[in-house]
Amino acid sequence: MVKSIDAIRNELIKENRLSSQSIQDLKWYLENDPRPHMSIMLATDAGLKALGSLMAKHLEHNDDFIREVTVGCIVGRLFLAEYALKAFELAKNDPYDNVRGLAISNLGAVLDKLDKKLKKEIAEYIYGVISNPTYDSLYRDCAYHSVVVAMEIPLEKWPQAQRDPDIEKLVDKELLEAFRKKYEIKVKV
């Protein structure tokens, strides 16, 4: 019999780890639950990188909330760089703003783990979003979060989240220039 998600969560809280049976039960939820967001978050909270491939299939889920949770967990929290290309595709093409925003905001967490070509392509995209006023402020703010993470800015120095950010005032121009140089981004004139 498969344990409930609540029982698995309580075990993680109480023991600060999961038994092998609970991990197997979590796998079952990742493979069979039509709304797997809780199992994805629990696997992430437990640091179960080995379940990354089971979680990653939900990057294609028809529910935008599930895609959003999944990209945030596997790229932004578990730092599974092997899913950066899919996260990049979501950042550029997902039909939902929330998925695109979370995808781009988490790419900076894995940028330095990527091969040179993909790293450059993603860095150029992030820089281009921040530099292009045709993107909305919230999406540009999400892209800037990737810069802050990629440049290893300590958490206490991160810009405060804002409901409607004034991106022109929010962006540290020196940090953005350091990002451009680090990733060898050519400025188009």
Side-chain angles (χ1 to χ4, degrees):
M1 177 142 196
V2 176
K3 289 181 195 173
S4 71
I5 286 291
D6 286 340
I8 297 169
R9 184 183 63 238
N10 290 338
E11 178 184 327
L12 182 60
I13 291 167
K14 184 179 177 187
E15 304 294 330
N16 202 29
R17 64 175 198 82
L18 292 177
S19 65
S20 56
Q21 182 57 54
S22 291
I23 293 170
Q24 291 307 311
D25 293 343
L26 212 47
K27 285 181 182 180
W28 184 89
Y29 282 106
L30 289 169
E31 293 174 329
N32 297 292
D33 190 346
R35 301 263 315 144
H37 58 285
M38 290 304 298
S39 55
I40 292 166
M41 289 186 282
L42 274 172
T44 302
D45 291 346
L48 298 174
K49 291 182 177 190
L51 300 184
S53 63
L54 292 176
M55 290 187 272
K57 73 178 187 173
H58 298 294
L59 291 169
E60 301 283 341
H61 202 281
N62 61 353
D63 185 325
D64 60 299
F65 175 69
I66 304 298
R67 290 193 309 279
E68 181 182 5
V69 167
T70 305
V71 75
C73 285
I74 66 174
V75 177
R77 292 188 55 213
L78 291 175
F79 312 112
L80 297 175
E82 59 267 35
Y83 302 107
L85 180 57
K86 180 59 185 171
F88 185 37
E89 290 170 10
L90 290 172
K92 294 187 301 183
N93 302 316
D94 197 272
Y96 293 93
D97 292 344
N98 55 338
V99 178
R100 284 192 312 274
L102 201 57
I104 198 169
S105 77
N106 283 294
L107 283 167
V110 295
L111 203 53
D112 289 333
K113 295 180 177 182
L114 305 176
D115 68 69
K116 189 175 182 172
K117 183 178 183 281
L118 184 58
K119 179 190 312 185
K120 185 164 180 61
E121 187 177 351
I122 291 173
E124 286 175 343
Y125 181 74
I126 291 168
Y127 184 84
V129 167
I130 296 168
S131 304
N132 187 339
T134 61
Y135 287 103
D136 70 54
S137 289
L138 193 55
Y139 191 62
R140 293 171 72 200
D141 183 27
C142 291
Y144 186 60
H145 180 266
S146 261
V147 169
V148 169
V149 171
M151 297 303 289
E152 300 177 16
I153 302 303
L155 185 60
E156 64 274 5
K157 293 186 178 181
W158 284 13
Q160 294 299 308
Q162 300 172 18
R163 179 171 222 130
D164 188 20
D166 181 347
I167 195 71
E168 304 311 324
K169 291 180 184 172
L170 178 71
V171 172
D172 177 332
K173 305 290 190 236
E174 290 177 13
L175 179 63
L176 189 59
E177 180 61 15
F179 178 84
R180 186 190 68 73
K181 287 179 180 176
K182 177 180 180 180
Y183 295 103
E184 301 173 358
I185 299 167
K186 305 274 189 272
V187 179
K188 295 175 175 100
V189 240

